[in-house]
Amino acid sequence: LLLILGTPVEIQRPRGVPLTSKKPFYEENKPFTCLDGSRTIPFDRVNDDYCDCKDGSDEPGTAACPNGSFHCTNAGYRPMFIPSSRINDGICDCCDTTDEYNSGAKCENTCKELGLKERDVLQKMAEITKEGFLLKQQLIEEAKKGREEKQGKVTDMQENKKQLEEKVEALRTVKETAEQPEKEAKERHLKAWEEQKAAIRLEKDKAKMAEAFLELDDNADGFVSVSELQSHAELDPDADGTLTETEVQGLMGGAAQVDTSTFESVWTNIKDKYHSEVSREEEPAPVETPPEEVKEPVVDNDSEPFPEDDISEEEDEDEDDEDDYHEDDDKVRVYITQKTGASINFSDLSFDFGPDAEFTYLYSQCYELTTSEYIYRLCPFNRVSQKPKYGGSETNLGTWGSWSGPENNKYLVMKYEHGTGCWQGPNRSTTVKLTCGKETVVTSTSEPSRCEYLMEFTTPAVCQEPANMDLLPHGHEEL
Amino acid sequence: MVSLREVCGIIIFRWVPLIVLLCVSARAVDRSNFKTCEQSAFCKRQRELKPGRSPYRALLDTLELSDSRITLQLINDNNKVRLLLELYRLQGNMTRVKINELKPLKPRYEVPDVLISDPITETLSVVSQDENSLVLSLGGKDQRLIVSAQPFRLDIVEGPQVLVSLNSRGLLAFEHLRARKDTSISHKISSTVGSMWDSLKKEEDKPGMWEETFKSHTDSKPNGPSSISLDFSLPGVEHVYGIPEHADTLKLKNTDGSDPYRLYNLDVFQYELHNPMALYGAVPVLISHSTDRTMGIFWLNAAETWVDISSNTAGKMMFGKILDFVQVSSEAPQTDVRWISESGIIDVFIMLGPKPADVFTQYASLTGTQSFPPLTALAYHQCRWNYNDQEDVKSVDQGFDEHDIPYDFIWLDIEHADGKRYFTWDPSKFPQPKEMLQGLMDKRRKLVAIVDPHIRVDNGYKIHNEILSKNFYVKNKDGGDYEGWCWPGNSGYPDFTNPEMRAWWASKFAYEQYEGSMENQYVWNDMNEPSVFNGPEVTMHKDALHGGWEHRDVHNLYGLYVQKATADGLVERSGGVERPFVLTRAFFAGSQRYGAVWTGDNAAEWGHLKISIPMCLSLGLAGISFCGADVGGFFKHPSAELLVRWYQAGAYQPFFRAHAHIDTPRREPWLFGPENTALIREAIRQRYALLPYWYQLFYNAHRTGYPVVRPLWVEYPNDVATFSIEDEYLIGKDLLVHPVTDEGATAVTAYLPGKGEVWYDVHTFQKHDGEQSLYIPVTMSSIPVFQRGGSIICRKDRVRRSSSCMENDPYTLYAALNSQGSAEGELYIDDFHTFNFEKAKQFVHRHLSFSANTLSSRNLAPDSQFSTASWIEKIVIIGGSQPSSATLKNAESALEFEFDSTLAVLTLRKPGVNAAADWTVILR
């Protein structure tokens, strides 16, 4: 408007005073009263480079007052206040250069550029939010379906269980009837059954042994050494809390290292106590799995939050024995429990997957980020880990703790705690910050403090309903 | 930021699993890693020698007298080995006593490069001589040096008073170099020795003379025993200070029944408070003080040294010739000091004072004064092991601006370098160091990057290859390059005692040599004791070789050379224009010439905050003013209260840097809630406002050698109540600071010294009389600070985000009047960063005085020239009365003023005169 008039209108106000809010208090040629009302001074003492008002209000345009602030209009960008100590300090703070009017600093007006950039960023963010929010709706929908399905499954399972129990009852009756006359047959059968079981066990044991060997052989040199075995404190024979080198040598029958063939004898010594370090999740997990594929979760055995009864490995073995009426009662009961095993997953029905269960899709997924040194892995609601890129064992950076965002939205931050302990330090922990994005990705990791990790993670699940698009700044400029 | 134990933590993950076994977790220092006197063979041998009649006799007929010195031979009547005694009278009231073997088997080490020049001698004339004594005149007030022949002793007397006696307790012991005998026999004899003299007579060897094993380390000692010892008695003295560095009280303790104070530069992990164990640096200077006189003893020896201190009664040891001179009261107190060193010669400077300032001047004339740091180095430093990467540096930098907290320097510890290869940058964390440095420069801020003296042995590392090809590494006893473990793993140690090596090292700081470096990057030398993780006592083997000398001879000097070479490099890279800034952990006498020191790896504990005061005061007495402790404590995590109190204390200590161990949670000032952020901001702002005063004090320290921070007794030498005070101190002579160092403190009791003196609380302007203990309630908002009545202190009250931003800002003068209604002070201004103040006399030095209601500024350096944009914005006169008018005489213009009658504070509004101008304000 001013330009249209074609006359250069100088807005009369002291330097550093905002046009809108405070200008009326600075009236030229009238005594100035400090904004805190503490005193009144002649107007020529406003901006005279000497601080008269305790609140700093007489020097809005100089650095004289320790608590003053300076207003830059920043036409083309955002107006702002800076502490008056930044006036003429040789550093360009205001993009319109008005803070450096007497310091010799060479400042360029960058407001237009910044304004454009900001609008660009805001626009992009708006787009992301919009799309993200749509995706979030889908996630909510899927979570809802999944929930219903699971509810249905529970019902089915319960039904199934009932039927099985009836079947057992029937089998038992048959068994009891048959028992007496067929004692001999039973014995024969039992023997065969035992043999078969032993064979299966042997095979399983071998498989376990092979697996254990690979796990133990940290440096993958084809040998398990004393030091490699020593890392398994649970093998401590005298359970005094330390697994000494001598003890390990005992377990290893005096050998310094064993290869796969000689490992068998070692395995006999340790298999009862041996705990696997890693579990099946070692298989590469999908870095990002689309939500619809989330039917068979990548099970992570280390996870505690959902106490899944381990689906027993003997499940397969008994699969075909259904009609074996020599089955003893316990077996039958075990079998039943196994068949309804899925039910333990129903504990997640009560888990906090967000107000609309929009975070459900993250459960049992893992997301990785590779940096120059490490591969970081976030398995939401489960754990965060770090593994050296070029070999070496995995470090637990924390297991699921809680949502711990700010009060107004706790779902913006996840906290993972009680990871591997640090030397002279705390146990490792990770804070995961969630931001709105179309994709579900770990975007960065850092370790601001020793053993306290920070991860940034984008997901549509935190996208808020976009504000009215019309409210976006469209080149609104204050003059 | 160091230590063996920590390294273990790292080794566990990275290198040798074997070492893990050595590394049980420990909360405090593992004393067993470090020798007691009993475990250090020479100290044990020497300490077994008890006071008694000395076997040494002066052969007066060997007297040779020249203009500058006299020489005499001494003979040990037990073994007939002759020593050569040299006596010098030095300009400025000092006496130098040198004792060496007359004909040593091979030369013994004499410490080079510590004295700034050959001390100027004055004529020493013979006053009288008889068959058993020689009396020499030291000039001045009847000062005499008396040489008694049998037993040999030296006494310096002034009129009827003995100032100091040497060998009066007969503890002069000089182990002469000898050829090795068949050791298998001699070891056996030594078990039943009555006294050392008997054994020496038999010339027999004692255990540890030719080989010594500590823990798993064997010292081969090819030169055999070579230790020296001498005792000094100080009649009338009950208070002795100095011989840093120890985490102990300001006033030195009696060491009877405990270990002596040890001086042997060591990397001590999690050091303990209040014990005489050696720490990172050593300055063999002891200051004695009584109401009569202040004196100093400078024992110039760089080998492992122990100092015993005991109290005695004067008179017990007086006999012979000196009784002709002195009046002896057997009741008078006396302090006895005994120095023991492993090798080298006896070369001792007795600084005769008599006033504290005289001793500082005397010591400065020998070893030089504090380097004058660029102003920015006196501002606040933000450090952490480690700022992880460029992004981290940027965000911490922004954090300071967001929270409006000033800072000048951000620091990078060892993780910044590529695999701990100093002079390089980690390519993934710091890919664009110049971009980072430019970002800081745009904010007028600076960076320090660490450069340690251990060099990674790696044939892909240029620095290592050059040192190797130039044959600059320290050698092991067999002549190969000495290697030890430090941060990078296997490391070599450049021989910094070699001047060619130092010149080469300095050249590596040239911008084109040190890639990615820029002019706002400065340097920190850590681990320069040197620290060797797998060496004896975490340092270098004593039989390692520096050219022809053993490490044993030069040990305490190594760190000084590292800092010197680095500081030289920074000067050279700027073409000789810019003042350097280098922080060192290890130091020796003379280190004050090269930069700043800090008290090493302290801990976030109240006791460590408390001990930082006497530690830095002791260093100041020994010439090193630019001292600080890690604010917040290096190890462990401080509570918010401790951190705030530490910032408040640190803001009033010369070197003001926060630092933290890598395993501690982050602790930038804004991470403890808004209230604590505000408290820390205020503490740092108080530092910035006072920078003109700090700068002027450092200028004076540079000129005179006076310490910047001083124990109270230095300014109030007759006030006995001040002699043991170490919980408060003076900055210059005009500010008294009493930090709050107790958890939950709601009050402190401060002693305000000086009869007739008045002190003003700088926060409230409240007035208190001197020579009283004052109970002062305290809140978290600040610590008690008082300005001395009679002083004028210049501040810059416009605190900005870095000291450079404040260069042209105006000054406010705070004139605190004494009981006579007068005050005086100084103002010093230059370009704040170059040598032009020295080379081209470009500075402003003003004397400000207020008396008879007239305040004026007078030029103290008429032949200097410098123009400044700074002006005088305000004058605050505290403790005066209300005038009817105030006139600026130059302009004949009336100054507006305000008077607060309750506090008697007069504020003159905007005199507006240039800070370099002559001006006068008259009150009527």
Side-chain angles (χ1 to χ4, degrees):
Chain A
L1 273 172
L2 299 171
L3 291 173
I4 292 166
L5 288 172
T7 37
V9 176
E10 199 187 324
I11 295 162
Q12 294 296 332
R13 55 174 160 147
R15 196 195 295 272
V17 176
L19 178 61
T20 45
S21 55
K22 290 181 184 161
K23 198 231 159 189
F25 300 105
Y26 296 86
E27 227 175 309
E28 200 163 4
N29 302 322
K30 284 193 180 168
F32 172 75
T33 301
C34 306
L35 296 186
D36 64 0
S38 57
R39 65 190 293 189
T40 300
I41 54 172
F43 192 80
D44 63 8
R45 300 222 165 146
V46 171
N47 278 344
D48 72 337
D49 208 10
Y50 185 89
C51 191
D52 291 288
C53 295
K54 283 210 170 78
D55 66 354
S57 57
D58 63 317
E59 297 294 318
T62 79
C65 293
N67 49 349
S69 58
F70 176 85
H71 183 265
C72 16
T73 307
N74 289 346
Y77 187 52
R78 264 180 293 158
M80 66 174 184
F81 283 98
I82 59 167
S84 48
S85 66
R86 295 182 191 170
I87 300 168
N88 290 328
D89 67 349
I91 300 163
C92 310
D93 291 286
C94 299
C95 64
D96 65 4
T97 77
T98 51
D99 60 319
E100 297 298 314
Y101 58 86
N102 194 22
S103 70
K106 290 188 184 99
C107 301
E108 276 171 37
N109 190 322
T110 55
C111 291
K112 204 174 164 187
E113 235 171 82
L114 286 170
L116 287 173
K117 218 191 238 170
E118 185 183 51
R119 275 190 288 282
D120 210 38
V121 168
L122 284 175
Q123 213 146 5
K124 275 194 186 126
M125 272 189 26
E127 277 162 32
I128 290 171
T129 311
K130 197 176 158 189
E131 286 181 52
F133 188 71
L134 287 176
L135 286 170
K136 180 179 175 180
Q137 300 313 309
Q138 288 177 24
L139 293 176
I140 292 170
E141 202 46 45
E142 272 155 21
K144 206 172 148 196
K145 264 191 223 156
R147 232 174 150 79
E148 280 161 5
E149 247 170 56
K150 272 183 185 159
Q151 285 288 15
K153 222 172 166 185
V154 170
T155 322
D156 286 356
M157 286 295 179
Q158 279 162 350
E159 186 57 34
N160 197 5
K161 185 179 172 191
K162 203 175 151 201
Q163 285 173 9
L164 283 166
E165 274 166 355
E166 281 164 11
K167 197 170 170 188
V168 168
E169 209 39 53
L171 280 169
R172 181 170 305 171
T173 321
V174 174
K175 178 178 146 197
E176 278 166 9
T177 335
E179 224 158 32
Q180 206 49 36
E182 291 189 19
K183 200 179 172 187
E184 258 178 66
K186 183 195 167 187
E187 271 166 9
R188 207 176 340 117
H189 201 105
L190 245 175
K191 203 181 164 202
W193 160 238
E194 289 297 338
E195 277 165 8
Q196 195 190 349
K197 252 187 354 190
I200 290 165
R201 276 204 195 102
L202 189 66
E203 217 164 299
K204 283 202 169 285
D205 189 45
K206 270 188 180 162
K208 263 192 191 167
M209 181 177 86
E211 205 177 314
F213 185 87
L214 287 173
E215 271 178 24
L216 281 168
D217 184 13
D218 288 336
N219 57 2
D221 61 356
F223 293 98
V224 169
S225 67
V226 171
S227 63
E228 283 166 348
L229 200 57
Q230 208 171 349
S231 64
H232 280 259
E234 77 275 27
L235 301 178
D236 184 19
D238 58 3
D240 65 349
T242 49
L243 183 57
T244 65
E245 214 169 306
T246 328
E247 283 169 347
V248 173
Q249 272 165 356
L251 293 173
M252 295 183 67
Q257 55 179 33
V258 291
D259 61 15
T260 40
S261 59
T262 43
F263 183 65
E264 202 168 340
S265 61
V266 179
W267 177 244
T268 320
N269 289 335
I270 65 169
K271 64 179 170 189
D272 292 341
K273 287 181 178 171
Y274 179 78
H275 290 176
S276 174
E277 311 172 304
V278 244
S279 54
R280 280 169 275 172
E281 62 131 15
E282 272 301 294
E283 295 140 31
V287 166
E288 194 199 338
T289 318
E292 53 271 20
E293 287 178 28
V294 190
K295 275 168 197 151
E296 286 298 323
V298 180
V299 179
D300 185 333
N301 280 4
D302 288 2
S303 67
E304 291 305 326
F306 306 110
E308 301 174 52
D309 287 355
D310 272 359
I311 294 172
S312 163
E313 297 183 11
E314 275 149 80
E315 182 179 4
D316 311 329
E317 159 185 343
D318 296 340
E319 196 116 335
D320 305 321
D321 290 339
E322 253 179 81
D323 54 349
D324 182 358
Y325 53 75
H326 294 293
E327 191 64 85
D328 64 20
D329 296 359
D330 289 344
K331 270 241 150 38
V332 173
R333 236 171 262 124
V334 167
Y335 173 75
I336 291 166
T337 319
Q338 282 157 6
K339 280 292 160 191
T340 55
S343 69
I344 43 79
N345 279 345
F346 297 125
S347 62
D348 60 18
L349 284 173
S350 59
F351 187 81
D352 185 0
F353 283 124
D356 299 307
E358 63 267 43
F359 296 100
T360 313
Y361 82 105
L362 296 173
Y363 170 56
S364 74
Q365 297 302 298
C366 291
Y367 303 89
E368 286 184 351
L369 179 74
T370 304
T371 66
S372 58
E373 268 182 272
Y374 297 102
I375 299 165
Y376 290 87
R377 193 158 205 258
L378 166 66
C379 305
F381 310 113
N382 185 353
R383 69 200 287 262
V384 183
S385 60
Q386 174 201 52
K387 204 177 162 160
K389 214 163 154 185
Y390 308 104
S393 57
E394 192 183 68
T395 307
N396 181 353
L397 304 187
T399 51
W400 169 250
S402 58
W403 291 108
S404 49
E407 253 169 57
N408 60 357
N409 187 358
K410 66 172 177 171
Y411 300 102
L412 289 178
V413 178
M414 292 168 158
K415 188 91 191 159
Y416 294 80
E417 298 156 323
H418 311 300
T420 312
C422 273
W423 179 81
Q424 279 222 338
N427 282 48
R428 287 172 174 77
S429 64
T430 303
T431 301
V432 180
K433 283 191 179 167
L434 281 65
T435 49
C436 165
K438 286 186 277 184
E439 320 215 303
T440 307
V441 192
V442 177
T443 55
S444 79
T445 63
S446 58
E447 189 184 356
S449 239
R450 186 73 145 190
C451 304
E452 290 176 12
Y453 296 81
L454 178 68
M455 205 169 240
E456 304 209 24
F457 186 55
T458 63
T459 163
V462 293
C463 294
Q464 297 292 325
E465 184 160 16
N468 189 344
M469 294 295 180
D470 300 339
L471 290 179
L472 275 177
H474 287 297
H476 170 77
E477 292 171 16
E478 191 185 347
L479 285 172
Chain B
M1 55 95 263
V2 222
S3 74
L4 176 66
R5 211 37 69 60
E6 283 172 63
V7 131
C8 295
I10 286 168
I11 288 174
I12 290 168
F13 298 109
R14 299 189 186 163
W15 305 303
V16 197
L18 275 177
I19 296 182
V20 176
L21 300 171
L22 301 171
C23 308
V24 282
S25 80
R27 281 283 131 205
V29 67
D30 183 352
R31 291 194 190 208
S32 72
N33 278 333
F34 302 100
K35 289 182 183 178
T36 59
C37 177
E38 186 75 14
Q39 289 166 319
S40 190
F42 78 91
C43 187
K44 182 174 193 280
R45 287 199 302 276
Q46 289 279 5
R47 228 187 180 202
E48 277 168 0
L49 175 62
K50 300 298 177 204
R53 190 177 163 88
S54 176
Y56 284 98
R57 178 160 56 92
L59 304 172
L60 296 182
D61 54 347
T62 62
L63 173 71
E64 281 180 39
L65 187 62
S66 76
D67 273 355
S68 61
R69 66 166 187 178
I70 72 155
T71 62
L72 266 179
Q73 289 179 23
L74 307 179
I75 188 164
N76 178 340
D77 279 330
N78 291 334
N79 62 12
K80 305 300 174 206
V81 174
R82 287 191 183 207
L83 305 178
L84 181 69
L85 167 73
E86 296 171 67
L87 297 171
Y88 300 83
R89 177 183 160 205
L90 301 183
Q91 196 180 64
N93 204 16
M94 289 180 281
T95 301
R96 182 181 194 178
V97 178
K98 274 176 94 167
I99 303 175
N100 197 352
E101 289 180 56
L102 182 64
K103 285 175 183 163
L105 213 54
K106 57 192 271 191
R108 298 179 65 118
Y109 189 69
E110 299 189 34
V111 177
D113 300 317
V114 166
L115 301 180
I116 46 174
S117 58
D118 278 340
I120 300 168
T121 55
E122 292 186 332
T123 313
L124 197 58
S125 54
V126 176
V127 175
S128 67
Q129 185 176 1
D130 59 29
E131 73 283 358
N132 193 39
S133 68
L134 179 65
V135 179
L136 302 158
S137 168
L138 293 173
K141 303 176 195 160
D142 309 323
Q143 277 188 2
R144 301 275 188 272
L145 172 58
I146 302 164
V147 183
S148 303
Q150 191 171 16
F152 165 69
R153 65 181 272 169
L154 294 172
D155 293 274
I156 296 175
V157 302
E158 183 178 278
Q161 292 205 311
V162 178
L163 303 182
V164 57
S165 308
L166 283 67
N167 200 32
S168 55
R169 293 191 297 149
L171 296 171
L172 167 63
F174 208 107
E175 291 182 331
H176 61 280
L177 298 178
R178 61 201 78 182
R180 189 170 195 149
K181 292 181 293 186
D182 184 345
T183 50
S184 60
I185 307 164
S186 53
H187 274 299
K188 287 177 188 163
I189 316 171
S190 62
S191 52
T192 53
V193 200
S195 83
M196 187 169 182
W197 303 122
D198 294 336
S199 66
L200 272 180
K201 208 184 297 178
K202 291 173 203 152
E203 287 302 300
E204 88 188 20
D205 287 346
K206 299 189 90 184
M209 277 186 166
W210 293 95
E211 191 178 278
E212 180 175 348
T213 299
F214 179 67
K215 302 197 110 177
S216 58
H217 302 283
T218 298
D219 175 1
S220 67
K221 295 195 175 178
N223 297 316
S226 59
S227 72
I228 52 170
S229 158
L230 182 59
D231 63 278
F232 301 77
S233 293
L234 298 156
V237 169
E238 288 179 279
H239 293 83
V240 288
Y241 309 92
I243 53 169
E245 178 178 40
H246 300 99
D248 209 345
T249 49
L250 177 65
K251 175 189 183 305
L252 298 173
K253 291 171 182 155
N254 195 317
T255 58
D256 292 339
S258 77
D259 254 16
Y261 285 98
R262 190 183 190 200
L263 293 172
Y264 191 57
N265 295 355
L266 291 175
D267 178 1
V268 181
F269 178 75
Q270 295 195 342
Y271 60 78
E272 263 177 46
L273 306 183
H274 297 294
N275 80 44
M277 284 173 74
L279 286 181
Y280 314 94
V283 187
V285 173
L286 179 134
I287 310 281
S288 71
H289 177 70
S290 70
T291 50
D292 290 341
R293 182 179 281 268
T294 309
M295 293 196 297
I297 298 171
F298 171 32
W299 177 264
L300 180 51
N301 189 299
E304 179 183 342
T305 296
W306 299 79
V307 186
D308 254 325
I309 292 169
S310 55
S311 309
N312 213 324
T313 308
K316 283 203 326 200
M317 301 291 180
M318 300 294 176
F319 51 88
K321 185 70 184 173
I322 61 156
L323 288 173
D324 299 349
F325 285 84
V326 301
Q327 300 154 353
V328 176
S329 154
S330 58
E331 295 306 308
Q334 170 172 310
T335 296
D336 295 319
V337 180
R338 181 191 187 189
W339 298 77
I340 303 168
S341 290
E342 186 176 13
S343 68
I345 64 161
I346 292 174
D347 188 0
V348 59
F349 297 80
I350 298 158
M351 302 174 283
L352 293 167
K355 293 289 160 221
D358 298 321
V359 175
F360 302 138
T361 306
Q362 286 154 4
Y363 182 63
S365 75
L366 299 172
T367 65
T369 60
Q370 177 64 53
S371 65
F372 189 27
L375 173 70
T376 184
L378 296 176
Y380 173 63
H381 301 259
Q382 181 67 36
C383 186
R384 171 173 185 83
W385 177 24
N386 214 103
Y387 285 118
N388 298 333
D389 49 30
Q390 278 178 232
E391 269 309 302
D392 200 0
V393 169
K394 199 171 171 181
S395 76
V396 171
D397 179 72
Q398 281 169 355
F400 275 90
D401 285 344
E402 277 158 28
H403 297 90
D404 198 18
I405 300 172
Y407 90 96
D408 270 50
F409 271 94
I410 189 163
W411 291 53
L412 297 179
D413 210 323
I414 51 172
E415 312 298 331
H416 87 276
D418 182 12
K420 320 283 193 296
R421 295 174 189 88
Y422 308 109
F423 299 101
T424 73
W425 304 85
D426 184 302
S428 61
K429 296 171 187 160
F430 295 91
Q432 301 293 337
K434 283 195 176 178
E435 195 181 295
M436 171 180 68
L437 286 159
Q438 186 60 52
L440 291 168
M441 199 182 283
D442 291 344
K443 298 259 195 84
R444 309 183 75 174
R445 287 173 176 149
K446 278 103 188 158
L447 178 137
V448 164
I450 199 164
V451 177
D452 286 351
H454 50 260
I455 300 299
R456 179 167 168 151
V457 173
D458 167 5
N459 57 23
Y461 179 25
K462 201 176 89 182
I463 296 283
H464 164 72
N465 289 339
E466 281 188 46
I467 296 173
L468 205 60
S469 71
K470 292 175 187 292
N471 200 24
F472 280 158
Y473 277 125
V474 173
K475 302 287 180 275
N476 60 35
K477 65 179 164 58
D478 304 316
D481 284 339
Y482 180 89
E483 287 183 5
W485 283 83
C486 210
W487 294 125
N490 202 25
S491 304
Y493 292 77
D495 184 2
F496 282 89
T497 68
N498 175 353
E500 284 169 45
M501 152 61 209
R502 293 199 301 273
W504 172 85
W505 177 267
S507 74
K508 295 290 115 182
F509 291 93
Y511 298 118
E512 67 276 12
Q513 290 283 326
Y514 191 162
E515 280 173 40
S517 70
M518 276 172 57
E519 59 268 33
N520 63 336
Q521 180 184 338
Y522 295 78
V523 186
W524 169 19
N525 294 145
D526 197 355
M527 318 296 283
N528 52 339
E529 293 75 23
S531 178
V532 181
F533 294 151
N534 59 343
E537 303 191 85
V538 202
T539 192
M540 192 172 276
H541 292 73
K542 282 177 174 169
D543 52 12
L545 295 168
H546 301 253
W549 299 108
E550 282 191 290
H551 184 69
R552 184 186 330 279
D553 299 312
V554 306
H555 176 85
N556 284 346
L557 204 49
Y558 189 85
L560 175 144
Y561 277 134
V562 174
Q563 192 190 19
K564 172 180 162 52
T566 304
D568 287 350
L570 295 194
V571 175
E572 279 169 29
R573 74 171 186 186
S574 73
V577 172
E578 298 288 331
R579 286 180 243 161
F581 168 59
V582 181
L583 179 72
T584 182
R585 194 173 67 181
F587 51 82
F588 189 65
S591 286
Q592 67 268 21
R593 307 196 293 264
Y594 308 114
V597 307
W598 93 108
T599 61
D601 299 346
N602 61 359
E605 293 168 4
W606 290 91
H608 276 269
L609 166 58
K610 214 180 280 259
I611 206 83
S612 69
I613 303 168
M615 286 180 83
C616 280
L617 290 176
S618 296
L619 272 158
L621 291 174
I624 300 176
S625 270
F626 203 1
C627 166
D630 286 346
V631 170
F634 178 67
F635 292 111
K636 304 185 182 175
H637 187 49
S639 66
E641 186 191 356
L642 175 57
L643 187 68
V644 168
R645 289 303 190 198
W646 211 317
Y647 268 101
Q648 290 171 340
Y652 289 91
Q653 290 181 357
F655 177 57
F656 182 25
R657 181 187 74 153
H659 188 30
H661 188 279
I662 194 166
D663 285 338
T664 61
R666 293 292 279 243
R667 56 166 99 134
E668 284 70 47
W670 50 88
L671 296 175
F672 294 78
E675 237 170 82
N676 293 308
T677 305
L679 292 170
I680 294 171
R681 177 192 299 123
E682 175 55 25
I684 298 177
R685 290 172 65 101
Q686 286 180 20
R687 169 56 164 237
Y688 276 71
L690 265 179
L691 282 174
Y693 184 60
W694 283 105
Y695 195 59
Q696 171 226 318
L697 287 171
F698 268 89
Y699 174 68
N700 282 333
H702 176 65
R703 287 198 317 158
T704 65
Y706 293 5
V708 168
V709 293
R710 305 166 191 171
L712 268 53
W713 63 259
V714 167
E715 295 297 333
Y716 300 90
N718 296 316
D719 186 348
V720 181
T722 64
F723 290 5
S724 299
I725 290 179
E726 60 171 23
D727 56 355
E728 62 182 51
Y729 57 95
L730 295 162
I731 304 175
K733 63 183 195 315
D734 298 337
L735 277 186
L736 186 148
V737 185
H738 191 111
V740 179
T741 58
D742 286 305
E743 186 167 19
T746 54
V748 298
T749 302
Y751 180 74
L752 300 180
K755 200 172 178 57
E757 202 89 274
V758 291
W759 295 90
Y760 299 90
D761 185 316
V762 299
H763 309 300
T764 64
F765 297 132
Q766 213 178 337
K767 182 177 168 181
H768 305 281
D769 287 329
E771 213 173 64
Q772 64 155 329
S773 283
L774 190 65
Y775 179 83
I776 309 158
V778 294
T779 63
M780 279 311 290
S781 68
S782 64
I783 58 171
V785 179
F786 300 91
Q787 183 175 348
R788 190 177 57 83
S791 67
I792 300 176
I793 289 178
C794 302
R795 296 179 190 241
K796 282 189 176 178
D797 283 336
R798 303 183 178 189
V799 174
R800 302 188 188 250
R801 65 185 127 192
S802 78
S803 69
S804 304
C805 295
M806 297 162 63
E807 276 173 9
N808 295 321
D809 280 340
Y811 292 89
T812 295
L813 273 44
Y814 289 83
L817 305 188
N818 60 17
S819 45
Q820 290 82 47
S822 61
E824 57 180 356
E826 289 176 28
L827 174 59
Y828 176 83
I829 307 170
D830 62 16
D831 63 20
F832 302 116
H833 62 97
T834 74
F835 284 110
N836 290 344
F837 75 99
E838 214 160 48
K839 289 181 178 164
K841 288 196 163 282
Q842 291 180 4
F843 62 91
V844 172
H845 197 187
R846 311 289 307 177
H847 182 259
L848 306 164
S849 70
F850 182 87
S851 67
N853 281 329
T854 302
L855 176 62
S856 60
S857 169
R858 178 169 61 82
N859 198 349
L860 273 177
D863 55 344
S864 70
Q865 263 196 329
F866 187 73
S867 62
T868 174
S870 293
W871 47 286
I872 311 297
E873 74 169 325
K874 196 195 287 186
I875 296 167
V876 181
I877 297 169
I878 310 152
S881 49
Q882 181 164 19
S884 56
S885 74
T887 317
L888 180 63
K889 206 179 157 197
N890 311 43
E892 292 303 338
S893 60
L895 291 180
E896 205 174 299
F897 61 85
E898 280 174 46
F899 185 73
D900 179 332
S901 52
T902 47
L903 290 166
V905 175
L906 174 71
T907 306
L908 304 180
R909 187 186 192 279
K910 213 179 177 188
V913 286
N914 187 279
D918 289 329
W919 53 265
T920 303
V921 170
I922 297 167
L923 306 180
R924 283 200 179 84

